[in-house]
mmCIF file of all heavy atoms in Angstrom:
data_model
loop_
_atom_site.group_PDB
_atom_site.id
_atom_site.type_symbol
_atom_site.label_atom_id
_atom_site.label_comp_id
_atom_site.label_asym_id
_atom_site.label_seq_id
_atom_site.Cartn_x
_atom_site.Cartn_y
_atom_site.Cartn_z
ATOM 1 N N GLU A 222 -155.873 -90.761 7.270
ATOM 2 C CA GLU A 222 -155.359 -90.609 8.638
ATOM 3 C C GLU A 222 -156.427 -90.953 9.676
ATOM 4 O O GLU A 222 -156.564 -90.287 10.703
ATOM 5 C CB GLU A 222 -154.841 -89.189 8.867
ATOM 6 C CG GLU A 222 -153.832 -88.715 7.843
ATOM 7 C CD GLU A 222 -152.422 -89.193 8.113
ATOM 8 O OE1 GLU A 222 -152.229 -89.972 9.060
ATOM 9 O OE2 GLU A 222 -151.512 -88.787 7.371
ATOM 10 N N ASP A 223 -157.205 -92.034 9.428
ATOM 11 C CA ASP A 223 -158.287 -92.440 10.322
ATOM 12 C C ASP A 223 -157.923 -93.709 11.086
ATOM 13 O O ASP A 223 -157.130 -94.534 10.613
ATOM 14 C CB ASP A 223 -159.571 -92.714 9.532
ATOM 15 C CG ASP A 223 -160.138 -91.472 8.869
ATOM 16 O OD1 ASP A 223 -159.823 -90.362 9.328
ATOM 17 O OD2 ASP A 223 -160.893 -91.623 7.889
ATOM 18 N N LEU A 224 -158.541 -93.890 12.255
ATOM 19 C CA LEU A 224 -158.471 -95.149 12.988
ATOM 20 C C LEU A 224 -159.669 -96.000 12.596
ATOM 21 O O LEU A 224 -160.812 -95.541 12.658
ATOM 22 C CB LEU A 224 -158.483 -94.904 14.496
ATOM 23 C CG LEU A 224 -158.560 -96.172 15.364
ATOM 24 C CD1 LEU A 224 -157.263 -96.962 15.288
ATOM 25 C CD2 LEU A 224 -158.900 -95.812 16.812
ATOM 26 N N LYS A 225 -159.418 -97.249 12.192
ATOM 27 C CA LYS A 225 -160.493 -98.143 11.774
ATOM 28 C C LYS A 225 -160.472 -99.453 12.556
ATOM 29 O O LYS A 225 -159.447 -99.854 13.127
ATOM 30 C CB LYS A 225 -160.393 -98.442 10.275
ATOM 31 C CG LYS A 225 -160.817 -97.304 9.369
ATOM 32 C CD LYS A 225 -160.850 -97.758 7.913
ATOM 33 C CE LYS A 225 -161.470 -96.728 7.000
ATOM 34 N NZ LYS A 225 -161.528 -97.207 5.594
ATOM 35 N N TYR A 226 -161.630 -100.124 12.531
ATOM 36 C CA TYR A 226 -161.808 -101.418 13.217
ATOM 37 C C TYR A 226 -162.666 -102.313 12.341
ATOM 38 O O TYR A 226 -163.659 -101.856 11.765
ATOM 39 C CB TYR A 226 -162.478 -101.194 14.573
ATOM 40 C CG TYR A 226 -162.987 -102.444 15.262
ATOM 41 C CD1 TYR A 226 -162.159 -103.194 16.095
ATOM 42 C CD2 TYR A 226 -164.303 -102.871 15.096
ATOM 43 C CE1 TYR A 226 -162.622 -104.328 16.747
ATOM 44 C CE2 TYR A 226 -164.786 -103.998 15.750
ATOM 45 C CZ TYR A 226 -163.934 -104.721 16.572
ATOM 46 O OH TYR A 226 -164.409 -105.846 17.213
ATOM 47 N N VAL A 227 -162.268 -103.580 12.234
ATOM 48 C CA VAL A 227 -163.068 -104.547 11.479
ATOM 49 C C VAL A 227 -163.021 -105.885 12.209
ATOM 50 O O VAL A 227 -161.988 -106.256 12.782
ATOM 51 C CB VAL A 227 -162.550 -104.675 10.022
ATOM 52 C CG1 VAL A 227 -161.133 -105.231 9.969
ATOM 53 C CG2 VAL A 227 -163.507 -105.515 9.178
ATOM 54 N N ARG A 228 -164.150 -106.591 12.208
ATOM 55 C CA ARG A 228 -164.241 -107.883 12.906
ATOM 56 C C ARG A 228 -164.793 -108.939 11.959
ATOM 57 O O ARG A 228 -165.678 -108.670 11.137
ATOM 58 C CB ARG A 228 -165.151 -107.757 14.129
ATOM 59 C CG ARG A 228 -165.349 -109.050 14.920
ATOM 60 C CD ARG A 228 -166.200 -108.799 16.157
ATOM 61 N NE ARG A 228 -166.524 -110.030 16.857
ATOM 62 C CZ ARG A 228 -167.610 -110.779 16.607
ATOM 63 N NH1 ARG A 228 -168.482 -110.392 15.668
ATOM 64 N NH2 ARG A 228 -167.842 -111.874 17.299
ATOM 65 N N ALA A 229 -164.263 -110.153 12.082
ATOM 66 C CA ALA A 229 -164.724 -111.270 11.251
ATOM 67 C C ALA A 229 -166.129 -111.698 11.644
ATOM 68 O O ALA A 229 -166.567 -111.498 12.781
ATOM 69 C CB ALA A 229 -163.759 -112.446 11.368
ATOM 70 N N LEU A 230 -166.812 -112.330 10.700
ATOM 71 C CA LEU A 230 -168.167 -112.823 10.929
ATOM 72 C C LEU A 230 -168.183 -114.273 11.386
ATOM 73 O O LEU A 230 -169.256 -114.820 11.670
ATOM 74 C CB LEU A 230 -168.991 -112.674 9.640
ATOM 75 C CG LEU A 230 -169.067 -111.247 9.069
ATOM 76 C CD1 LEU A 230 -169.844 -111.250 7.753
ATOM 77 C CD2 LEU A 230 -169.704 -110.299 10.075
ATOM 78 N N ASP A 231 -167.008 -114.900 11.451
ATOM 79 C CA ASP A 231 -166.907 -116.289 11.899
ATOM 80 C C ASP A 231 -165.611 -116.467 12.674
ATOM 81 O O ASP A 231 -164.736 -115.596 12.669
ATOM 82 C CB ASP A 231 -166.951 -117.257 10.702
ATOM 83 C CG ASP A 231 -165.831 -116.979 9.714
ATOM 84 O OD1 ASP A 231 -164.715 -117.492 9.920
ATOM 85 O OD2 ASP A 231 -166.065 -116.223 8.743
ATOM 86 N N ALA A 232 -165.480 -117.601 13.346
ATOM 87 C CA ALA A 232 -164.369 -117.820 14.265
ATOM 88 C C ALA A 232 -163.020 -117.967 13.568
ATOM 89 O O ALA A 232 -161.979 -117.724 14.182
ATOM 90 C CB ALA A 232 -164.642 -119.059 15.123
ATOM 91 N N ASN A 233 -163.015 -118.363 12.300
ATOM 92 C CA ASN A 233 -161.761 -118.547 11.578
ATOM 93 C C ASN A 233 -161.322 -117.306 10.807
ATOM 94 O O ASN A 233 -160.152 -117.195 10.417
ATOM 95 C CB ASN A 233 -161.866 -119.719 10.595
ATOM 96 C CG ASN A 233 -161.939 -121.060 11.300
ATOM 97 O OD1 ASN A 233 -161.552 -121.185 12.461
ATOM 98 N ND2 ASN A 233 -162.438 -122.066 10.602
ATOM 99 N N GLY A 234 -162.235 -116.403 10.554
ATOM 100 C CA GLY A 234 -161.900 -115.230 9.762
ATOM 101 C C GLY A 234 -162.053 -115.446 8.273
ATOM 102 O O GLY A 234 -161.338 -114.830 7.478
ATOM 103 N N ASN A 235 -162.986 -116.317 7.878
ATOM 104 C CA ASN A 235 -163.222 -116.551 6.451
ATOM 105 C C ASN A 235 -164.016 -115.415 5.809
ATOM 106 O O ASN A 235 -163.852 -115.127 4.619
ATOM 107 C CB ASN A 235 -163.970 -117.875 6.250
ATOM 108 C CG ASN A 235 -163.139 -119.075 6.680
ATOM 109 O OD1 ASN A 235 -161.938 -119.120 6.443
ATOM 110 N ND2 ASN A 235 -163.774 -120.044 7.330
ATOM 111 N N ALA A 236 -164.890 -114.794 6.575
ATOM 112 C CA ALA A 236 -165.688 -113.660 6.088
ATOM 113 C C ALA A 236 -165.607 -112.537 7.119
ATOM 114 O O ALA A 236 -165.532 -112.795 8.319
ATOM 115 C CB ALA A 236 -167.139 -114.087 5.867
ATOM 116 N N TRP A 237 -165.656 -111.297 6.615
ATOM 117 C CA TRP A 237 -165.453 -110.147 7.496
ATOM 118 C C TRP A 237 -166.553 -109.114 7.307
ATOM 119 O O TRP A 237 -167.159 -109.011 6.236
ATOM 120 C CB TRP A 237 -164.090 -109.511 7.217
ATOM 121 C CG TRP A 237 -162.955 -110.364 7.685
ATOM 122 C CD1 TRP A 237 -162.500 -111.512 7.099
ATOM 123 C CD2 TRP A 237 -162.150 -110.157 8.853
ATOM 124 N NE1 TRP A 237 -161.457 -112.034 7.822
ATOM 125 C CE2 TRP A 237 -161.218 -111.226 8.898
ATOM 126 C CE3 TRP A 237 -162.116 -109.184 9.843
ATOM 127 C CZ2 TRP A 237 -160.262 -111.335 9.917
ATOM 128 C CZ3 TRP A 237 -161.171 -109.287 10.856
ATOM 129 C CH2 TRP A 237 -160.261 -110.359 10.888
ATOM 130 N N GLY A 238 -166.783 -108.338 8.355
ATOM 131 C CA GLY A 238 -167.750 -107.261 8.298
ATOM 132 C C GLY A 238 -167.185 -106.033 7.608
ATOM 133 O O GLY A 238 -166.063 -106.036 7.089
ATOM 134 N N THR A 239 -167.951 -104.974 7.625
ATOM 135 C CA THR A 239 -167.538 -103.711 7.027
ATOM 136 C C THR A 239 -166.674 -102.929 8.017
ATOM 137 O O THR A 239 -167.050 -102.784 9.180
ATOM 138 C CB THR A 239 -168.762 -102.872 6.643
ATOM 139 O OG1 THR A 239 -169.572 -103.612 5.723
ATOM 140 C CG2 THR A 239 -168.342 -101.559 6.007
ATOM 141 N N PRO A 240 -165.530 -102.412 7.588
ATOM 142 C CA PRO A 240 -164.695 -101.621 8.497
ATOM 143 C C PRO A 240 -165.422 -100.381 9.024
ATOM 144 O O PRO A 240 -166.165 -99.726 8.294
ATOM 145 C CB PRO A 240 -163.503 -101.228 7.622
ATOM 146 C CG PRO A 240 -163.458 -102.261 6.544
ATOM 147 C CD PRO A 240 -164.887 -102.609 6.280
ATOM 148 N N LEU A 241 -165.198 -100.080 10.307
ATOM 149 C CA LEU A 241 -165.792 -98.908 10.949
ATOM 150 C C LEU A 241 -164.717 -97.856 11.181
ATOM 151 O O LEU A 241 -163.597 -98.180 11.579
ATOM 152 C CB LEU A 241 -166.404 -99.295 12.297
ATOM 153 C CG LEU A 241 -167.475 -100.385 12.297
ATOM 154 C CD1 LEU A 241 -167.894 -100.684 13.741
ATOM 155 C CD2 LEU A 241 -168.673 -99.972 11.464
ATOM 156 N N ILE A 242 -165.044 -96.594 10.946
ATOM 157 C CA ILE A 242 -164.155 -95.491 11.298
ATOM 158 C C ILE A 242 -164.465 -95.089 12.737
ATOM 159 O O ILE A 242 -165.573 -94.663 13.046
ATOM 160 C CB ILE A 242 -164.350 -94.293 10.356
ATOM 161 C CG1 ILE A 242 -164.007 -94.686 8.916
ATOM 162 C CG2 ILE A 242 -163.479 -93.121 10.802
ATOM 163 C CD1 ILE A 242 -164.288 -93.589 7.904
ATOM 164 N N LEU A 243 -163.483 -95.218 13.620
ATOM 165 C CA LEU A 243 -163.689 -94.929 15.041
ATOM 166 C C LEU A 243 -163.247 -93.522 15.424
ATOM 167 O O LEU A 243 -163.772 -92.947 16.366
ATOM 168 C CB LEU A 243 -162.942 -95.948 15.902
ATOM 169 C CG LEU A 243 -163.257 -97.425 15.637
ATOM 170 C CD1 LEU A 243 -162.528 -98.286 16.654
ATOM 171 C CD2 LEU A 243 -164.752 -97.693 15.661
ATOM 172 N N ASP A 244 -162.266 -93.003 14.708
ATOM 173 C CA ASP A 244 -161.767 -91.661 15.003
ATOM 174 C C ASP A 244 -161.196 -91.075 13.717
ATOM 175 O O ASP A 244 -160.382 -91.711 13.043
ATOM 176 C CB ASP A 244 -160.687 -91.717 16.090
ATOM 177 C CG ASP A 244 -160.334 -90.333 16.645
ATOM 178 O OD1 ASP A 244 -160.790 -89.326 16.073
ATOM 179 O OD2 ASP A 244 -159.584 -90.273 17.640
ATOM 180 N N SER A 245 -161.637 -89.876 13.383
ATOM 181 C CA SER A 245 -161.141 -89.185 12.191
ATOM 182 C C SER A 245 -160.753 -87.745 12.519
ATOM 183 O O SER A 245 -160.645 -86.913 11.625
ATOM 184 C CB SER A 245 -162.204 -89.203 11.086
ATOM 185 O OG SER A 245 -163.405 -88.589 11.518
ATOM 186 N N GLU A 246 -160.559 -87.486 13.814
ATOM 187 C CA GLU A 246 -160.231 -86.135 14.272
ATOM 188 C C GLU A 246 -158.729 -85.914 14.172
ATOM 189 O O GLU A 246 -157.954 -86.427 14.984
ATOM 190 C CB GLU A 246 -160.698 -85.936 15.711
ATOM 191 C CG GLU A 246 -160.580 -84.514 16.221
ATOM 192 C CD GLU A 246 -161.555 -83.559 15.554
ATOM 193 O OE1 GLU A 246 -162.645 -84.015 15.146
ATOM 194 O OE2 GLU A 246 -161.222 -82.366 15.453
ATOM 195 N N GLY A 247 -158.287 -85.173 13.180
ATOM 196 C CA GLY A 247 -156.865 -84.966 12.972
ATOM 197 C C GLY A 247 -156.230 -86.197 12.353
ATOM 198 O O GLY A 247 -156.864 -86.958 11.621
ATOM 199 N N LYS A 248 -154.961 -86.412 12.673
ATOM 200 C CA LYS A 248 -154.226 -87.575 12.186
ATOM 201 C C LYS A 248 -154.149 -88.586 13.315
ATOM 202 O O LYS A 248 -153.466 -88.361 14.317
ATOM 203 C CB LYS A 248 -152.835 -87.166 11.724
ATOM 204 C CG LYS A 248 -152.847 -86.159 10.573
ATOM 205 C CD LYS A 248 -151.445 -85.749 10.178
ATOM 206 C CE LYS A 248 -151.484 -84.761 9.027
ATOM 207 N NZ LYS A 248 -150.119 -84.338 8.613
ATOM 208 N N VAL A 249 -154.846 -89.700 13.163
ATOM 209 C CA VAL A 249 -154.974 -90.654 14.267
ATOM 210 C C VAL A 249 -154.718 -92.085 13.791
ATOM 211 O O VAL A 249 -154.763 -92.372 12.601
ATOM 212 C CB VAL A 249 -156.375 -90.573 14.912
ATOM 213 C CG1 VAL A 249 -156.581 -89.249 15.604
ATOM 214 C CG2 VAL A 249 -157.471 -90.801 13.868
ATOM 215 N N GLY A 250 -154.477 -92.983 14.751
ATOM 216 C CA GLY A 250 -154.392 -94.410 14.463
ATOM 217 C C GLY A 250 -153.012 -95.003 14.555
ATOM 218 O O GLY A 250 -152.865 -96.232 14.583
ATOM 219 N N THR A 251 -151.978 -94.170 14.593
ATOM 220 C CA THR A 251 -150.620 -94.691 14.727
ATOM 221 C C THR A 251 -150.458 -95.396 16.069
ATOM 222 O O THR A 251 -151.066 -95.024 17.061
ATOM 223 C CB THR A 251 -149.606 -93.545 14.603
ATOM 224 O OG1 THR A 251 -149.756 -92.929 13.327
ATOM 225 C CG2 THR A 251 -148.178 -94.046 14.727
ATOM 226 N N SER A 252 -149.631 -96.445 16.090
ATOM 227 C CA SER A 252 -149.314 -97.189 17.319
ATOM 228 C C SER A 252 -150.546 -97.816 17.964
ATOM 229 O O SER A 252 -150.606 -97.945 19.190
ATOM 230 C CB SER A 252 -148.609 -96.266 18.339
ATOM 231 O OG SER A 252 -147.465 -95.689 17.780
ATOM 232 N N CYS A 253 -151.539 -98.201 17.184
ATOM 233 C CA CYS A 253 -152.777 -98.732 17.766
ATOM 234 C C CYS A 253 -152.551 -100.098 18.415
ATOM 235 O O CYS A 253 -151.773 -100.916 17.936
ATOM 236 C CB CYS A 253 -153.877 -98.807 16.706
ATOM 237 S SG CYS A 253 -153.467 -99.739 15.234
ATOM 238 N N SER A 254 -153.245 -100.317 19.523
ATOM 239 C CA SER A 254 -153.167 -101.570 20.276
ATOM 240 C C SER A 254 -154.579 -101.985 20.667
ATOM 241 O O SER A 254 -155.274 -101.254 21.376
ATOM 242 C CB SER A 254 -152.289 -101.383 21.517
ATOM 243 O OG SER A 254 -152.223 -102.579 22.290
ATOM 244 N N LEU A 255 -155.006 -103.148 20.195
ATOM 245 C CA LEU A 255 -156.368 -103.650 20.413
ATOM 246 C C LEU A 255 -156.374 -104.680 21.533
ATOM 247 O O LEU A 255 -155.542 -105.585 21.575
ATOM 248 C CB LEU A 255 -156.900 -104.277 19.120
ATOM 249 C CG LEU A 255 -158.247 -104.991 19.170
ATOM 250 C CD1 LEU A 255 -159.381 -104.018 19.494
ATOM 251 C CD2 LEU A 255 -158.522 -105.695 17.832
ATOM 252 N N ALA A 256 -157.335 -104.560 22.458
ATOM 253 C CA ALA A 256 -157.492 -105.520 23.551
ATOM 254 C C ALA A 256 -158.962 -105.575 23.947
ATOM 255 O O ALA A 256 -159.731 -104.655 23.660
ATOM 256 C CB ALA A 256 -156.637 -105.128 24.748
ATOM 257 N N VAL A 257 -159.337 -106.658 24.600
ATOM 258 C CA VAL A 257 -160.687 -106.785 25.143
ATOM 259 C C VAL A 257 -160.641 -106.347 26.599
ATOM 260 O O VAL A 257 -159.918 -106.931 27.413
ATOM 261 C CB VAL A 257 -161.215 -108.224 25.011
ATOM 262 C CG1 VAL A 257 -162.584 -108.346 25.664
ATOM 263 C CG2 VAL A 257 -161.295 -108.629 23.535
ATOM 264 N N ILE A 258 -161.406 -105.317 26.927
ATOM 265 C CA ILE A 258 -161.429 -104.746 28.269
ATOM 266 C C ILE A 258 -162.849 -104.836 28.822
ATOM 267 O O ILE A 258 -163.782 -104.308 28.226
ATOM 268 C CB ILE A 258 -160.980 -103.268 28.261
ATOM 269 C CG1 ILE A 258 -159.636 -103.102 27.547
ATOM 270 C CG2 ILE A 258 -160.933 -102.723 29.672
ATOM 271 C CD1 ILE A 258 -158.461 -103.737 28.232
ATOM 272 N N ARG A 259 -163.004 -105.530 29.928
ATOM 273 C CA ARG A 259 -164.319 -105.704 30.555
ATOM 274 C C ARG A 259 -165.343 -106.252 29.561
ATOM 275 O O ARG A 259 -166.504 -105.852 29.529
ATOM 276 C CB ARG A 259 -164.804 -104.383 31.144
ATOM 277 C CG ARG A 259 -163.933 -103.849 32.278
ATOM 278 C CD ARG A 259 -164.323 -102.443 32.687
ATOM 279 N NE ARG A 259 -163.499 -101.947 33.787
ATOM 280 C CZ ARG A 259 -163.420 -100.675 34.147
ATOM 281 N NH1 ARG A 259 -164.115 -99.756 33.488
ATOM 282 N NH2 ARG A 259 -162.658 -100.304 35.148
ATOM 283 N N GLY A 260 -164.869 -107.166 28.696
ATOM 284 C CA GLY A 260 -165.759 -107.860 27.775
ATOM 285 C C GLY A 260 -166.027 -107.144 26.473
ATOM 286 O O GLY A 260 -166.743 -107.681 25.608
ATOM 287 N N CYS A 261 -165.468 -105.949 26.286
ATOM 288 C CA CYS A 261 -165.694 -105.186 25.055
ATOM 289 C C CYS A 261 -164.352 -104.786 24.444
ATOM 290 O O CYS A 261 -163.408 -104.483 25.169
ATOM 291 C CB CYS A 261 -166.516 -103.928 25.336
ATOM 292 S SG CYS A 261 -168.184 -104.247 25.949
ATOM 293 N N PRO A 262 -164.255 -104.747 23.115
ATOM 294 C CA PRO A 262 -162.991 -104.339 22.497
ATOM 295 C C PRO A 262 -162.681 -102.880 22.785
ATOM 296 O O PRO A 262 -163.573 -102.036 22.876
ATOM 297 C CB PRO A 262 -163.242 -104.568 21.004
ATOM 298 C CG PRO A 262 -164.725 -104.515 20.842
ATOM 299 C CD PRO A 262 -165.283 -105.079 22.105
ATOM 300 N N ALA A 263 -161.387 -102.587 22.918
ATOM 301 C CA ALA A 263 -160.915 -101.230 23.172
ATOM 302 C C ALA A 263 -159.586 -101.042 22.457
ATOM 303 O O ALA A 263 -158.868 -102.009 22.181
ATOM 304 C CB ALA A 263 -160.762 -100.979 24.671
ATOM 305 N N ILE A 264 -159.269 -99.784 22.159
ATOM 306 C CA ILE A 264 -158.056 -99.487 21.399
ATOM 307 C C ILE A 264 -157.340 -98.300 22.030
ATOM 308 O O ILE A 264 -157.961 -97.274 22.321
ATOM 309 C CB ILE A 264 -158.383 -99.167 19.926
ATOM 310 C CG1 ILE A 264 -159.165 -100.318 19.280
ATOM 311 C CG2 ILE A 264 -157.100 -98.880 19.132
ATOM 312 C CD1 ILE A 264 -159.773 -99.959 17.937
ATOM 313 N N ALA A 265 -156.049 -98.441 22.232
ATOM 314 C CA ALA A 265 -155.181 -97.320 22.572
ATOM 315 C C ALA A 265 -154.400 -96.955 21.317
ATOM 316 O O ALA A 265 -153.987 -97.834 20.563
ATOM 317 C CB ALA A 265 -154.232 -97.697 23.705
ATOM 318 N N TYR A 266 -154.171 -95.660 21.101
ATOM 319 C CA TYR A 266 -153.532 -95.244 19.854
ATOM 320 C C TYR A 266 -153.031 -93.807 19.975
ATOM 321 O O TYR A 266 -153.341 -93.099 20.938
ATOM 322 C CB TYR A 266 -154.506 -95.366 18.677
ATOM 323 C CG TYR A 266 -155.755 -94.527 18.815
ATOM 324 C CD1 TYR A 266 -155.893 -93.314 18.155
ATOM 325 C CD2 TYR A 266 -156.813 -94.958 19.625
ATOM 326 C CE1 TYR A 266 -157.049 -92.549 18.292
ATOM 327 C CE2 TYR A 266 -157.960 -94.205 19.765
ATOM 328 C CZ TYR A 266 -158.072 -93.005 19.096
ATOM 329 O OH TYR A 266 -159.211 -92.248 19.239
#
């Protein structure tokens, strides 16, 4: 029941980094929406 984020290491997505756990407080991550806000990734969930 965690929210996770992972980003590719190249522009096509041939190789990927290690997934990060961003939130593990309770049951989280449903309805997640990823966007770039002010130049940095952000997630609503």
Side-chain angles (χ1 to χ4, degrees):
E222 307 278 4
D223 295 338
L224 174 70
K225 286 187 171 182
Y226 168 88
V227 64
R228 179 177 174 270
L230 303 177
D231 58 85
N233 290 340
N235 295 320
W237 289 74
T239 301
L241 302 177
I242 298 175
L243 305 185
D244 192 351
S245 58
E246 188 69 29
K248 299 178 179 180
V249 293
T251 300
S252 304
C253 55
S254 178
L255 174 65
V257 176
I258 308 293
R259 296 171 179 165
C261 297
I264 304 168
Y266 60 101

